[in-house]
Amino acid sequence: MHRESKNKGWNEIKTNDSWAIFKIMGEFVSGYEKLSKIGPCVSIFGSARTKPGHKFYKLAEEVATKIVDHGYGVITGGGPGIMEAGNKGAHIAGGTSVGLNIELPFEQHDNPYIDSDKSLDFDYFFVRKVMFVKYSQGFVVMPGGFGTLDELFEAITLIQTHKIEVFPIILVGTEFWGGLMDWVKSTLLDAGNISEKDLDLIHLVDTGDEVIEILNDFYKEYDLSPNF
């Protein structure tokens, strides 16, 4: 009886998984249809816990404004903190402001600076991550936590393994990110677990002007297009 009960539970899980495929497909279709129309955008990542008035909030807003002033839109995770600052900077500058929202038990709620027709909601992290990677012409990575690190290292891995096209990955905040980059060089590189050329994928800067310089220099050589 115990074994039958466990099997029944497993079969119910399999059935639910099969139906979930249609919801996953729906999120992909909706995301592709909307994001394919937005034009070249740069994604800004960072902590949802950063408060308005914090230096990194102000810097993210400034970076977003400069990005828009140079012809790009801005994509964020749609929530508070650095995400809100990114959308706010884009919105105030009159540019495209996209939010890829995710349902979470804490932290996440829509910010008011997303264009009404460019706010997308996701249940599945992996679908949302595909949207960032496919439609971003660059990643601007502000100080953040585990989620920010997740987006950063996934992008590096996909570029390193040639699963997507190369695009600029820009860490903003040398004081914040310097220790991580020192560890990458002194531990990962020294151990032979990455190559010297992999470090060329990552830029470390402190200002919005440096972000724009890197983006503009890159796209003098490469075309603007989806990454896969």
Side-chain angles (χ1 to χ4, degrees):
M1 289 293 294
H2 178 65
R3 185 65 179 176
E4 290 176 359
S5 176
K6 289 182 68 176
N7 283 339
K8 181 180 180 182
W10 185 256
N11 287 333
E12 287 175 352
I13 291 171
K14 288 169 61 179
T15 300
N16 290 337
D17 285 350
S18 297
W19 283 107
I21 291 172
F22 294 101
K23 182 172 177 54
I24 293 165
M25 289 173 58
E27 290 197 358
F28 273 116
V29 170
S30 176
Y32 282 175
E33 286 185 346
K34 289 187 177 182
L35 292 176
S36 64
K37 302 173 184 176
I38 62 173
C41 288
V42 174
S43 287
I44 297 178
F45 299 96
S47 177
R49 305 182 188 192
T50 305
K51 303 299 182 185
H54 190 282
K55 64 178 182 179
F56 291 139
Y57 185 104
K58 294 178 181 178
L59 182 56
E61 186 178 338
E62 175 195 332
V63 169
T65 297
K66 288 181 180 292
I67 286 171
V68 166
D69 287 343
H70 284 78
Y72 304 93
V74 169
I75 302 174
T76 79
I82 296 296
M83 294 174 281
E84 178 182 289
N87 288 125
K88 182 179 180 181
H91 177 75
I92 290 174
T96 297
S97 181
V98 182
L100 307 183
N101 307 295
I102 186 79
E103 292 188 14
L104 297 176
F106 60 92
E107 286 186 0
Q108 186 79 7
H109 58 78
D110 297 2
N111 72 67
Y113 301 105
I114 304 167
D115 295 346
S116 59
D117 61 335
K118 299 179 182 67
S119 180
L120 286 76
D121 295 303
F122 297 90
D123 284 326
Y124 298 97
F125 260 117
F126 64 90
V127 180
R128 179 177 181 249
K129 285 155 73 75
V130 168
M131 302 303 154
F132 278 121
V133 168
K134 183 174 179 64
Y135 292 105
S136 297
Q137 302 302 297
F139 274 18
V140 173
V141 187
M142 303 293 299
F146 289 134
T148 304
L149 290 169
D150 179 38
E151 300 288 358
L152 167 64
F153 283 111
E154 179 181 51
I156 294 170
T157 301
L158 291 171
I159 293 172
Q160 178 203 46
T161 54
H162 304 291
K163 293 298 183 182
I164 62 173
E165 297 294 330
V166 176
F167 60 78
I169 298 173
I170 308 167
L171 305 183
V172 181
T174 53
E175 182 180 355
F176 185 89
W177 293 112
L180 173 64
M181 293 307 299
D182 288 343
W183 177 80
V184 167
K185 294 172 184 176
S186 65
T187 303
L188 297 185
L189 183 60
D190 285 356
N193 293 334
I194 62 172
S195 302
E196 184 82 39
K197 65 179 181 180
D198 294 332
L199 298 176
D200 295 338
L201 300 173
I202 310 165
H203 306 270
L204 187 58
V205 305
D206 280 310
T207 68
D209 288 337
E210 290 173 297
V211 170
I212 295 303
E213 183 179 0
I214 291 166
L215 289 170
N216 286 344
D217 286 348
F218 183 86
Y219 286 108
K220 287 177 184 176
E221 183 178 352
Y222 295 94
D223 292 331
L224 292 162
S225 65
N227 296 312
F228 63 88

PDB file of all heavy atoms in Angstrom, residues 1-9:
ATOM      1  N   MET A   1       0.835  -1.206   0.000  1.00  0.00           N
ATOM      2  CA  MET A   1       0.000   0.000   0.000  1.00  0.00           C
ATOM      3  C   MET A   1       0.868   1.254   0.000  1.00  0.00           C
ATOM      4  O   MET A   1       0.596   2.218  -0.708  1.00  0.00           O
ATOM      5  CB  MET A   1      -0.934   0.008   1.219  1.00  0.00           C
ATOM      6  CG  MET A   1      -2.047  -1.027   1.133  1.00  0.00           C
ATOM      7  SD  MET A   1      -3.206  -0.617  -0.205  1.00  0.00           S
ATOM      8  CE  MET A   1      -3.904   0.900   0.424  1.00  0.00           C
ATOM      9  N   HIS A   2       1.923   1.224   0.795  1.00  0.00           N
ATOM     10  CA  HIS A   2       2.799   2.382   0.871  1.00  0.00           C
ATOM     11  C   HIS A   2       3.421   2.676  -0.489  1.00  0.00           C
ATOM     12  O   HIS A   2       3.458   3.816  -0.932  1.00  0.00           O
ATOM     13  CB  HIS A   2       3.881   2.132   1.928  1.00  0.00           C
ATOM     14  CG  HIS A   2       4.865   3.255   2.035  1.00  0.00           C
ATOM     15  ND1 HIS A   2       4.501   4.517   2.457  1.00  0.00           N
ATOM     16  CD2 HIS A   2       6.202   3.312   1.757  1.00  0.00           C
ATOM     17  CE1 HIS A   2       5.576   5.307   2.453  1.00  0.00           C
ATOM     18  NE2 HIS A   2       6.609   4.602   2.021  1.00  0.00           N
ATOM     19  N   ARG A   3       3.865   1.599  -1.168  1.00  0.00           N
ATOM     20  CA  ARG A   3       4.491   1.789  -2.465  1.00  0.00           C
ATOM     21  C   ARG A   3       3.487   2.304  -3.481  1.00  0.00           C
ATOM     22  O   ARG A   3       3.791   3.186  -4.289  1.00  0.00           O
ATOM     23  CB  ARG A   3       5.069   0.435  -2.934  1.00  0.00           C
ATOM     24  CG  ARG A   3       5.865   0.510  -4.224  1.00  0.00           C
ATOM     25  CD  ARG A   3       7.111   1.334  -4.039  1.00  0.00           C
ATOM     26  NE  ARG A   3       7.894   1.402  -5.256  1.00  0.00           N
ATOM     27  CZ  ARG A   3       8.998   2.123  -5.392  1.00  0.00           C
ATOM     28  NH1 ARG A   3       9.422   2.842  -4.369  1.00  0.00           N
ATOM     29  NH2 ARG A   3       9.668   2.140  -6.533  1.00  0.00           N
ATOM     30  N   GLU A   4       2.256   1.817  -3.460  1.00  0.00           N
ATOM     31  CA  GLU A   4       1.232   2.276  -4.390  1.00  0.00           C
ATOM     32  C   GLU A   4       0.913   3.753  -4.173  1.00  0.00           C
ATOM     33  O   GLU A   4       0.742   4.508  -5.120  1.00  0.00           O
ATOM     34  CB  GLU A   4      -0.039   1.439  -4.218  1.00  0.00           C
ATOM     35  CG  GLU A   4       0.112   0.008  -4.713  1.00  0.00           C
ATOM     36  CD  GLU A   4      -1.130  -0.812  -4.444  1.00  0.00           C
ATOM     37  OE1 GLU A   4      -2.084  -0.266  -3.856  1.00  0.00           O
ATOM     38  OE2 GLU A   4      -1.140  -2.001  -4.818  1.00  0.00           O
ATOM     39  N   SER A   5       0.855   4.135  -2.882  1.00  0.00           N
ATOM     40  CA  SER A   5       0.573   5.538  -2.567  1.00  0.00           C
ATOM     41  C   SER A   5       1.654   6.450  -3.114  1.00  0.00           C
ATOM     42  O   SER A   5       1.377   7.496  -3.693  1.00  0.00           O
ATOM     43  CB  SER A   5       0.450   5.703  -1.049  1.00  0.00           C
ATOM     44  OG  SER A   5       0.269   7.060  -0.727  1.00  0.00           O
ATOM     45  N   LYS A   6       2.911   6.024  -2.963  1.00  0.00           N
ATOM     46  CA  LYS A   6       4.014   6.833  -3.474  1.00  0.00           C
ATOM     47  C   LYS A   6       3.960   6.925  -5.006  1.00  0.00           C
ATOM     48  O   LYS A   6       4.193   7.979  -5.584  1.00  0.00           O
ATOM     49  CB  LYS A   6       5.350   6.242  -3.033  1.00  0.00           C
ATOM     50  CG  LYS A   6       5.644   6.410  -1.552  1.00  0.00           C
ATOM     51  CD  LYS A   6       6.994   5.858  -1.182  1.00  0.00           C
ATOM     52  CE  LYS A   6       8.128   6.653  -1.776  1.00  0.00           C
ATOM     53  NZ  LYS A   6       9.450   6.166  -1.331  1.00  0.00           N
ATOM     54  N   ASN A   7       3.623   5.806  -5.653  1.00  0.00           N
ATOM     55  CA  ASN A   7       3.538   5.808  -7.108  1.00  0.00           C
ATOM     56  C   ASN A   7       2.425   6.729  -7.607  1.00  0.00           C
ATOM     57  O   ASN A   7       2.574   7.413  -8.617  1.00  0.00           O
ATOM     58  CB  ASN A   7       3.301   4.390  -7.630  1.00  0.00           C
ATOM     59  CG  ASN A   7       4.573   3.555  -7.600  1.00  0.00           C
ATOM     60  OD1 ASN A   7       5.669   4.097  -7.570  1.00  0.00           O
ATOM     61  ND2 ASN A   7       4.410   2.246  -7.589  1.00  0.00           N
ATOM     62  N   LYS A   8       1.314   6.723  -6.871  1.00  0.00           N
ATOM     63  CA  LYS A   8       0.205   7.591  -7.266  1.00  0.00           C
ATOM     64  C   LYS A   8       0.644   9.047  -7.197  1.00  0.00           C
ATOM     65  O   LYS A   8       0.377   9.838  -8.103  1.00  0.00           O
ATOM     66  CB  LYS A   8      -1.003   7.352  -6.357  1.00  0.00           C
ATOM     67  CG  LYS A   8      -2.198   8.218  -6.723  1.00  0.00           C
ATOM     68  CD  LYS A   8      -3.367   7.939  -5.799  1.00  0.00           C
ATOM     69  CE  LYS A   8      -4.556   8.809  -6.162  1.00  0.00           C
ATOM     70  NZ  LYS A   8      -5.695   8.596  -5.246  1.00  0.00           N
ATOM     71  N   GLY A   9       1.335   9.396  -6.134  1.00  0.00           N
ATOM     72  CA  GLY A   9       1.826  10.765  -6.005  1.00  0.00           C
ATOM     73  C   GLY A   9       2.771  11.128  -7.131  1.00  0.00           C
ATOM     74  O   GLY A   9       2.709  12.226  -7.687  1.00  0.00           O
TER      75      GLY A   9
END
